[in-house]
Amino acid sequence: MSTSGGGGADEPANAAVGKANPAYSVTVRVPGTARAAIDAVIAAGPGEITCYADEPDPAGRRITLDADSGPTLTWLVQALRRQLGTDLLQTEDPVFAVASTGKLTQSLCASVTTGHDLALLDADADRRVIRHLARHPTHTDLFTGRPRRVALVTDASAVLDFEPLTAEAALPAVESQAVHLHRATGLDVIPMPIAARDAGELRLAIAMLAPGFAATVLVHTRVSHVDAVRAAPTVAGTAALLDTLNDGLAVAATAAIINHLRGRRVRPGAARVAVVDPARGGDLAGLLLAAGIRDLTLYDPLACGIQPLHRMAADLDLVVDLIGLASPPAGAPVLRIRPQSPPPLASAAFGPRPLHALPGLLCAAVRAHRVITAPARLAAVRALVELTPVGGLLPPLDHPRLTAAVDQAATRALTES
């Protein structure tokens, strides 16, 4: 079972205690003779520190060290400065170095080598195409880049474990998600934080942007805002609209739950499952019912307290924890799924992530020009279950057929409905 739980922004709940984490790294340039001093600092560290890379550099060596947490990294940088003094030629934080690149860039598809090429991009050429599209609006996807373009939108209301942020502060997280979706799908994913004061403004912004995109994906957005946007007919009718909760995490969680029950030889129809704080899970409860689970308890810890859950745990086959219980019940297995604290990518086969299902569902929506339906999500669940190795909860995120299998299953469900 995944064990992600509570935690602050600097100390995520999914950080493995005592294990070095590349998110807390420092790269230093030092003379070649300084390695012994660096090893002495590592040995004296208050937490786990490992040397990830030691490479030649014009000044001597370029060394990257990974710490296990923010406090250990702070100690490490200060200790290196004290120990090395003027031998510490340069320090760089790889996390901020990667963020400063923007993580994505545009590529030019049209040739601009000659004057003839440029003329094909000039106003007279554009008038011809626009005049044609005005007469034949269904040809837009034939003569523009819209079919491969996806808007990745957030209102910054639910970014990781932060309180609501200003839109621009959410950019690093949205850019990272754009990188992952582009790698998995090949689509042009454009990160777009929206400065919306409420769900109504977010809905209006998406409706205004929709004509330029094949699909819109909502990420790092409060569940209530996602629900409000999805309920608006003006948005639903303009382009495919997906979100990382309903079209990502809920699908992956359902597959993990089915695989857990199978591993214990419990049929879904005979299973007893409790979902803690179900409002955080989007349509997870509906997907579980569609997947065949009949005995489903939707448990509100704020209304009921924690003791009733502990008392009923012995009669449950699984507790699905969406809130991050400080004291989970001991009488039943617990699958921890906090939407804002996903497990690390490297161990994602042991815990659900939106990237298990979202890339394949996005490809299906774009190709079929259809809104993702409940049958398509259920088909994605079954595809994930079929790809999961015996005894596992989910297929690894780097499975070579992951996106294609979900895409094909969902496309069949969309075209048959």
mmCIF file of all heavy atoms in Angstrom, residues 368-389:
data_model
loop_
_atom_site.group_PDB
_atom_site.id
_atom_site.type_symbol
_atom_site.label_atom_id
_atom_site.label_comp_id
_atom_site.label_asym_id
_atom_site.label_seq_id
_atom_site.Cartn_x
_atom_site.Cartn_y
_atom_site.Cartn_z
ATOM 1 N N ALA A 368 -10.674 11.137 -30.774
ATOM 2 C CA ALA A 368 -12.095 10.859 -31.040
ATOM 3 C C ALA A 368 -12.944 12.119 -31.079
ATOM 4 O O ALA A 368 -14.125 12.048 -31.439
ATOM 5 C CB ALA A 368 -12.638 9.908 -29.975
ATOM 6 N N HIS A 369 -12.352 13.264 -30.692
ATOM 7 C CA HIS A 369 -13.127 14.519 -30.613
ATOM 8 C C HIS A 369 -14.350 14.335 -29.729
ATOM 9 O O HIS A 369 -15.447 14.802 -30.062
ATOM 10 C CB HIS A 369 -13.553 14.995 -32.017
ATOM 11 C CG HIS A 369 -12.420 15.239 -32.956
ATOM 12 N ND1 HIS A 369 -11.626 16.347 -32.898
ATOM 13 C CD2 HIS A 369 -11.933 14.480 -33.973
ATOM 14 C CE1 HIS A 369 -10.701 16.290 -33.843
ATOM 15 N NE2 HIS A 369 -10.861 15.159 -34.506
ATOM 16 N N ARG A 370 -14.146 13.657 -28.608
ATOM 17 C CA ARG A 370 -15.255 13.365 -27.705
ATOM 18 C C ARG A 370 -14.875 13.720 -26.274
ATOM 19 O O ARG A 370 -13.697 13.698 -25.894
ATOM 20 C CB ARG A 370 -15.603 11.863 -27.764
ATOM 21 C CG ARG A 370 -16.021 11.359 -29.136
ATOM 22 C CD ARG A 370 -17.450 11.751 -29.445
ATOM 23 N NE ARG A 370 -18.392 11.091 -28.576
ATOM 24 C CZ ARG A 370 -18.866 9.848 -28.796
ATOM 25 N NH1 ARG A 370 -18.455 9.138 -29.855
ATOM 26 N NH2 ARG A 370 -19.749 9.320 -27.981
ATOM 27 N N VAL A 371 -15.885 14.018 -25.475
ATOM 28 C CA VAL A 371 -15.687 14.211 -24.043
ATOM 29 C C VAL A 371 -15.524 12.841 -23.390
ATOM 30 O O VAL A 371 -16.212 11.883 -23.752
ATOM 31 C CB VAL A 371 -16.892 14.955 -23.433
ATOM 32 C CG1 VAL A 371 -16.771 15.041 -21.915
ATOM 33 C CG2 VAL A 371 -17.008 16.354 -24.036
ATOM 34 N N ILE A 372 -14.601 12.719 -22.454
ATOM 35 C CA ILE A 372 -14.387 11.451 -21.773
ATOM 36 C C ILE A 372 -15.622 11.109 -20.941
ATOM 37 O O ILE A 372 -16.099 11.925 -20.149
ATOM 38 C CB ILE A 372 -13.129 11.510 -20.879
ATOM 39 C CG1 ILE A 372 -11.893 11.670 -21.740
ATOM 40 C CG2 ILE A 372 -13.014 10.272 -20.010
ATOM 41 C CD1 ILE A 372 -11.638 10.530 -22.705
ATOM 42 N N THR A 373 -16.115 9.893 -21.097
ATOM 43 C CA THR A 373 -17.323 9.431 -20.422
ATOM 44 C C THR A 373 -16.971 8.446 -19.311
ATOM 45 O O THR A 373 -15.840 7.965 -19.206
ATOM 46 C CB THR A 373 -18.248 8.732 -21.422
ATOM 47 O OG1 THR A 373 -17.539 7.605 -21.989
ATOM 48 C CG2 THR A 373 -18.653 9.685 -22.547
ATOM 49 N N ALA A 374 -17.980 8.113 -18.488
ATOM 50 C CA ALA A 374 -17.777 7.110 -17.439
ATOM 51 C C ALA A 374 -17.368 5.761 -18.023
ATOM 52 O O ALA A 374 -16.458 5.113 -17.487
ATOM 53 C CB ALA A 374 -19.039 6.992 -16.588
ATOM 54 N N PRO A 375 -17.988 5.289 -19.119
ATOM 55 C CA PRO A 375 -17.511 4.024 -19.708
ATOM 56 C C PRO A 375 -16.063 4.090 -20.181
ATOM 57 O O PRO A 375 -15.336 3.104 -20.086
ATOM 58 C CB PRO A 375 -18.470 3.812 -20.887
ATOM 59 C CG PRO A 375 -19.727 4.509 -20.487
ATOM 60 C CD PRO A 375 -19.265 5.722 -19.736
ATOM 61 N N ALA A 376 -15.621 5.251 -20.671
ATOM 62 C CA ALA A 376 -14.225 5.373 -21.097
ATOM 63 C C ALA A 376 -13.290 5.288 -19.898
ATOM 64 O O ALA A 376 -12.217 4.666 -19.971
ATOM 65 C CB ALA A 376 -14.016 6.691 -21.842
ATOM 66 N N ARG A 377 -13.662 5.907 -18.789
ATOM 67 C CA ARG A 377 -12.837 5.807 -17.581
ATOM 68 C C ARG A 377 -12.787 4.370 -17.080
ATOM 69 O O ARG A 377 -11.726 3.879 -16.660
ATOM 70 C CB ARG A 377 -13.381 6.735 -16.490
ATOM 71 C CG ARG A 377 -13.240 8.214 -16.822
ATOM 72 C CD ARG A 377 -13.688 9.068 -15.634
ATOM 73 N NE ARG A 377 -13.676 10.486 -15.997
ATOM 74 C CZ ARG A 377 -14.714 11.298 -15.886
ATOM 75 N NH1 ARG A 377 -15.878 10.837 -15.437
ATOM 76 N NH2 ARG A 377 -14.608 12.573 -16.235
ATOM 77 N N LEU A 378 -13.922 3.694 -17.114
ATOM 78 C CA LEU A 378 -13.944 2.301 -16.671
ATOM 79 C C LEU A 378 -13.098 1.430 -17.588
ATOM 80 O O LEU A 378 -12.391 0.518 -17.129
ATOM 81 C CB LEU A 378 -15.388 1.796 -16.627
ATOM 82 C CG LEU A 378 -15.594 0.380 -16.075
ATOM 83 C CD1 LEU A 378 -15.048 0.277 -14.647
ATOM 84 C CD2 LEU A 378 -17.067 0.004 -16.115
ATOM 85 N N ALA A 379 -13.121 1.702 -18.885
ATOM 86 C CA ALA A 379 -12.275 0.967 -19.822
ATOM 87 C C ALA A 379 -10.801 1.216 -19.504
ATOM 88 O O ALA A 379 -9.963 0.306 -19.601
ATOM 89 C CB ALA A 379 -12.586 1.392 -21.253
ATOM 90 N N ALA A 380 -10.469 2.451 -19.097
ATOM 91 C CA ALA A 380 -9.088 2.756 -18.716
ATOM 92 C C ALA A 380 -8.691 1.988 -17.460
ATOM 93 O O ALA A 380 -7.553 1.506 -17.349
ATOM 94 C CB ALA A 380 -8.934 4.263 -18.484
ATOM 95 N N VAL A 381 -9.616 1.860 -16.509
ATOM 96 C CA VAL A 381 -9.355 1.062 -15.304
ATOM 97 C C VAL A 381 -8.987 -0.364 -15.693
ATOM 98 O O VAL A 381 -7.996 -0.937 -15.213
ATOM 99 C CB VAL A 381 -10.579 1.063 -14.368
ATOM 100 C CG1 VAL A 381 -10.405 0.022 -13.259
ATOM 101 C CG2 VAL A 381 -10.798 2.444 -13.771
ATOM 102 N N ARG A 382 -9.776 -0.964 -16.576
ATOM 103 C CA ARG A 382 -9.535 -2.352 -16.978
ATOM 104 C C ARG A 382 -8.199 -2.492 -17.710
ATOM 105 O O ARG A 382 -7.485 -3.485 -17.536
ATOM 106 C CB ARG A 382 -10.684 -2.835 -17.859
ATOM 107 C CG ARG A 382 -11.996 -2.991 -17.076
ATOM 108 C CD ARG A 382 -13.168 -3.229 -17.996
ATOM 109 N NE ARG A 382 -14.410 -3.404 -17.252
ATOM 110 C CZ ARG A 382 -15.629 -3.139 -17.718
ATOM 111 N NH1 ARG A 382 -15.759 -2.681 -18.971
ATOM 112 N NH2 ARG A 382 -16.680 -3.332 -16.970
ATOM 113 N N ALA A 383 -7.846 -1.482 -18.503
ATOM 114 C CA ALA A 383 -6.554 -1.523 -19.200
ATOM 115 C C ALA A 383 -5.400 -1.496 -18.200
ATOM 116 O O ALA A 383 -4.409 -2.218 -18.358
ATOM 117 C CB ALA A 383 -6.441 -0.354 -20.172
ATOM 118 N N LEU A 384 -5.521 -0.675 -17.162
ATOM 119 C CA LEU A 384 -4.476 -0.623 -16.142
ATOM 120 C C LEU A 384 -4.370 -1.941 -15.383
ATOM 121 O O LEU A 384 -3.271 -2.423 -15.090
ATOM 122 C CB LEU A 384 -4.752 0.517 -15.161
ATOM 123 C CG LEU A 384 -4.610 1.943 -15.699
ATOM 124 C CD1 LEU A 384 -4.966 2.961 -14.613
ATOM 125 C CD2 LEU A 384 -3.198 2.205 -16.194
ATOM 126 N N VAL A 385 -5.524 -2.528 -15.070
ATOM 127 C CA VAL A 385 -5.532 -3.814 -14.363
ATOM 128 C C VAL A 385 -4.836 -4.886 -15.194
ATOM 129 O O VAL A 385 -4.031 -5.675 -14.687
ATOM 130 C CB VAL A 385 -6.972 -4.227 -14.018
ATOM 131 C CG1 VAL A 385 -7.024 -5.671 -13.513
ATOM 132 C CG2 VAL A 385 -7.564 -3.285 -12.974
ATOM 133 N N GLU A 386 -5.120 -4.906 -16.497
ATOM 134 C CA GLU A 386 -4.521 -5.925 -17.371
ATOM 135 C C GLU A 386 -3.013 -5.754 -17.499
ATOM 136 O O GLU A 386 -2.275 -6.734 -17.679
ATOM 137 C CB GLU A 386 -5.168 -5.859 -18.753
ATOM 138 C CG GLU A 386 -6.615 -6.338 -18.770
ATOM 139 C CD GLU A 386 -7.268 -6.131 -20.118
ATOM 140 O OE1 GLU A 386 -6.575 -5.681 -21.058
ATOM 141 O OE2 GLU A 386 -8.480 -6.413 -20.241
ATOM 142 N N LEU A 387 -2.512 -4.514 -17.399
ATOM 143 C CA LEU A 387 -1.073 -4.264 -17.542
ATOM 144 C C LEU A 387 -0.293 -4.478 -16.249
ATOM 145 O O LEU A 387 0.940 -4.527 -16.273
ATOM 146 C CB LEU A 387 -0.829 -2.830 -18.025
ATOM 147 C CG LEU A 387 -1.104 -2.508 -19.489
ATOM 148 C CD1 LEU A 387 -0.807 -1.037 -19.746
ATOM 149 C CD2 LEU A 387 -0.273 -3.371 -20.422
ATOM 150 N N THR A 388 -0.994 -4.597 -15.134
ATOM 151 C CA THR A 388 -0.321 -4.687 -13.842
ATOM 152 C C THR A 388 0.325 -6.052 -13.644
ATOM 153 O O THR A 388 -0.319 -7.079 -13.852
ATOM 154 C CB THR A 388 -1.324 -4.423 -12.704
ATOM 155 O OG1 THR A 388 -1.923 -3.137 -12.885
ATOM 156 C CG2 THR A 388 -0.623 -4.456 -11.347
ATOM 157 N N PRO A 389 1.596 -6.094 -13.250
ATOM 158 C CA PRO A 389 2.242 -7.386 -12.992
ATOM 159 C C PRO A 389 1.603 -8.101 -11.814
ATOM 160 O O PRO A 389 1.005 -7.458 -10.936
ATOM 161 C CB PRO A 389 3.695 -6.997 -12.688
ATOM 162 C CG PRO A 389 3.650 -5.569 -12.295
ATOM 163 C CD PRO A 389 2.506 -4.955 -13.032
#
